[in-house]
Amino acid sequence: MGDGEKCEFIVTKAPLKDLTGKTIGIVTAAIDVTERKRMEKEIQQSEAKFRNAIENLQEGFALFDRDDRLVIWNRMYEEIFAFNRGVVRYGVRFEDLVKENMKIDRVVESVGRNEEFLRERMEQHQNPLGPFELRLTNGTCILVSEAKTPDGGTYTTLTDITKLKQTEKQAREREAELANIRRLNVLGEMAAAIAHELNQPLTVISSYAQGVAAKLRSGLASPDDLLEPVENLIDQANRAGEIIGGIRSLIDKQETRKSAVDLNAAIEEALTLVTPEYQELGIGVTLDLDDGLPWVLADEIQAQQLLLNLARNAMEAMSEGPCASSRLTVQSSQADGDTVEVAVMDTGPGFPFKDREGVFEPFFTTKAQGLGLGLSICRSITEAFGGRIWIESAPGTGALVRFSLPIADVKQLEDA
Ligand code: ADP
């Protein structure tokens, strides 16, 4: 104890008696209680600090003891639930607070279903699993977090997340608006590109048809004269049909049905369709498929179309100068716990472009008869299932296109 500090004593006096019971003096005892008083004061001060801290919390706070009776709470806790005067008091049971709250229809989730709500709320309170939200009838949204204390009690914090929810809602609305604008832009670009693409065969059809009409009008045309232009007419009309068919494949992906697909089987099935053409060109095909490949989330037909498009592209790339070493290799493997990857490699001239993302855009083609839809269809198929597709080869070396698809979560598919 420092100099100048006061000492406190409790002084007790008692009469001192002799054997006959006669008082012969007074006994005085003094107990030094300085330390005890100091500790009491410290406890009071720290309790005041603790209460002050709880009171100044931005959140509502309440602590219930092991018998579920309220022991500590702050004003915010009372305000959030708009409890009537005197309801929130020391020792009141949590269940009674919930019932009081239902009387004034404070919580949206309880309105019209008091019994169920009470049951659910008691269950949550007794076995807290993690934060959950409650909507109040005044429009406020509250995040409720509860946890057990080591002595079997429960504490609750209530955070007002109304503003956060509003901001999230606004952000979602803005995102939806932007997505809509983006869709309109894409639609505009697509419409322009489709018009441009269809215009070519239509112009050719028109000029051949005019030629045929002129020949017929002249009365000099023999069937042989007409055969070639009419065949050209058919070719161009077919081309227009292919363009429309390709666009339809792009759009169809919207109604995609997701299921668990054996990707190795889809690869083998797709390659049987192109094998005769590969054999004709004398180009070898190697399949390097992972036996233990998990099934993926996809649509079987679309997965086959994906492979078919890539195998056709590889064949077209290699058909320019096929040689003994020309080869298509398709590899499947599990990339990580969630994804399967397929690599489609060829020994052709490769992708020569700087901006290689461009090849995935609709109507991008370097081929005289190309539609430029194959890779964009591949991209929309992979993305529709949560995968992606990319070019891995360096410019000028044989093409290596790789795509990924998510491993099918059987549980998720059953729930869907
Ligand atoms: P298309 O085959 O009708 O041109 P795609 O969208 O399938 O349309 O391909 C776009 C372009 O990407 C092709 O024109 C070609 O330039 C390039 N390409 C695609 N696959 C390969 C490949 N395996 N090797 C080299 N270039 C390729």
Side-chain angles (χ1 to χ4, degrees):
M1 194 186 309
D3 289 344
E5 276 189 48
K6 281 188 197 153
C7 295
E8 285 186 59
F9 293 92
I10 293 180
V11 180
T12 37
K13 290 184 178 177
L16 178 66
K17 299 184 177 180
D18 66 11
L19 291 173
T20 62
K22 193 176 141 205
T23 301
I24 51 168
I26 300 280
V27 179
T28 306
I31 304 165
D32 183 351
V33 289
T34 321
E35 187 58 15
R36 202 174 85 196
K37 288 278 173 189
R38 192 183 61 78
M39 277 168 72
E40 273 173 13
K41 208 167 148 199
E42 265 182 21
I43 289 170
Q44 270 168 13
Q45 278 171 350
S46 72
E47 203 176 301
K49 272 188 205 155
F50 174 62
R51 288 199 175 270
N52 202 22
I54 288 179
E55 208 45 67
N56 284 316
L57 281 176
Q58 295 296 308
E59 284 96 12
F61 178 87
L63 174 68
F64 298 86
D65 66 12
R66 55 183 311 155
D67 299 323
D68 224 6
R69 292 184 182 277
L70 184 64
V71 278
I72 299 169
W73 69 97
N74 65 4
R75 213 175 9 240
M76 192 63 110
Y77 182 78
E78 289 180 64
E79 277 171 16
I80 286 177
F81 283 131
F83 285 112
N84 285 328
R85 248 179 182 285
V87 168
V88 183
R89 58 184 187 283
Y90 187 85
V92 64
R93 284 169 7 144
F94 174 76
E95 185 172 349
D96 293 331
L97 287 177
V98 178
K99 284 181 182 163
E100 280 298 327
N101 229 250
M102 293 192 308
K103 276 191 205 155
I104 54 166
D105 274 349
R106 180 68 172 166
V107 178
V108 174
E109 283 82 355
S110 75
V111 178
R113 52 187 293 276
N114 281 353
E115 266 179 39
E116 276 166 275
F117 179 76
L118 181 64
R119 214 179 27 252
E120 287 163 12
R121 190 63 195 90
M122 290 309 293
E123 170 69 27
Q124 278 166 333
H125 179 74
Q126 275 145 12
N127 307 297
L129 287 177
F132 60 92
E133 288 172 22
L134 281 183
R135 282 172 306 139
L136 304 185
T137 40
N138 67 349
T140 312
C141 194
I142 300 296
L143 185 74
V144 183
S145 308
E146 293 186 314
K148 286 280 174 203
T149 59
D151 62 352
T154 312
Y155 68 84
T156 306
T157 55
L158 309 172
T159 314
D160 186 340
I161 53 167
T162 318
K163 279 214 182 88
L164 189 78
K165 284 267 149 190
Q166 272 162 359
T167 318
E168 272 175 19
K169 190 167 164 244
Q170 280 162 359
R172 267 200 309 275
E173 282 168 0
R174 256 201 311 278
E175 183 50 41
E177 267 169 39
L178 276 176
N180 211 16
I181 293 169
R182 273 198 296 269
R183 255 198 303 277
L184 287 176
N185 278 342
V186 171
L187 210 65
E189 278 169 26
M190 280 286 277
I194 293 166
H196 174 77
E197 289 299 307
L198 283 178
N199 205 30
Q200 287 177 353
L202 288 178
T203 310
V204 182
I205 287 171
S206 168
S207 73
Y208 276 120
Q210 280 171 29
V212 171
K215 280 187 182 164
L216 286 172
R217 260 195 300 272
S218 72
L220 300 170
S222 70
D224 280 351
D225 289 340
L226 295 178
L227 193 61
E228 198 194 324
V230 169
E231 274 171 354
N232 282 333
L233 272 175
I234 295 169
D235 281 352
Q236 293 303 315
N238 284 344
R239 183 172 161 78
E242 279 175 32
I243 293 172
I244 290 167
I247 292 162
R248 197 170 284 151
S249 313
L250 265 181
I251 295 162
D252 277 353
K253 70 139 207 282
Q254 314 257 331
E255 289 112 41
T256 297
R257 275 191 60 85
K258 295 180 180 178
S259 59
V261 169
D262 178 355
L263 194 55
N264 282 346
I267 294 172
E268 282 171 354
E269 182 70 31
L271 290 183
T272 53
L273 298 174
V274 284
T275 305
E277 294 166 80
Y278 267 90
Q279 279 169 349
E280 218 170 279
L281 288 164
I283 301 176
V285 175
T286 302
L287 290 189
D288 178 7
L289 308 180
D290 177 353
D291 283 343
L293 201 69
W295 286 26
V296 294
L297 185 71
D299 169 277
E300 198 176 342
I301 301 295
Q302 295 197 10
Q304 286 177 19
Q305 185 178 7
L306 184 59
L307 261 301
L308 203 59
N309 286 356
L310 296 177
R312 282 236 160 86
N313 272 347
M315 185 176 63
E316 281 167 9
M318 291 185 286
S319 65
E320 285 164 21
C323 59
S325 58
S326 294
R327 180 158 294 278
L328 167 77
T329 309
V330 181
Q331 263 173 4
S332 67
S333 58
Q334 184 169 346
D336 52 44
D338 305 317
T339 330
V340 153
E341 281 183 3
V342 174
V344 180
M345 290 168 270
D346 65 53
T347 51
F351 291 88
F353 321 103
K354 265 203 233 138
D355 176 17
R356 288 183 298 160
E357 273 304 299
V359 296
F360 292 105
E361 294 304 321
F363 304 117
F364 180 98
T365 183
T366 54
K367 301 170 192 166
Q369 292 303 310
L371 290 178
L373 289 174
L375 287 180
S376 80
I377 290 171
C378 291
R379 184 171 65 179
S380 45
I381 292 174
T382 46
E383 287 178 357
F385 297 107
R388 58 187 196 98
I389 185 166
W390 65 100
I391 293 166
E392 225 169 76
S393 49
T397 64
L400 165 49
V401 182
R402 196 185 289 275
F403 68 85
S404 65
L405 284 172
I407 292 173
D409 179 342
V410 180
K411 172 95 187 52
Q412 217 173 26
L413 284 168
E414 278 169 0
D415 292 347

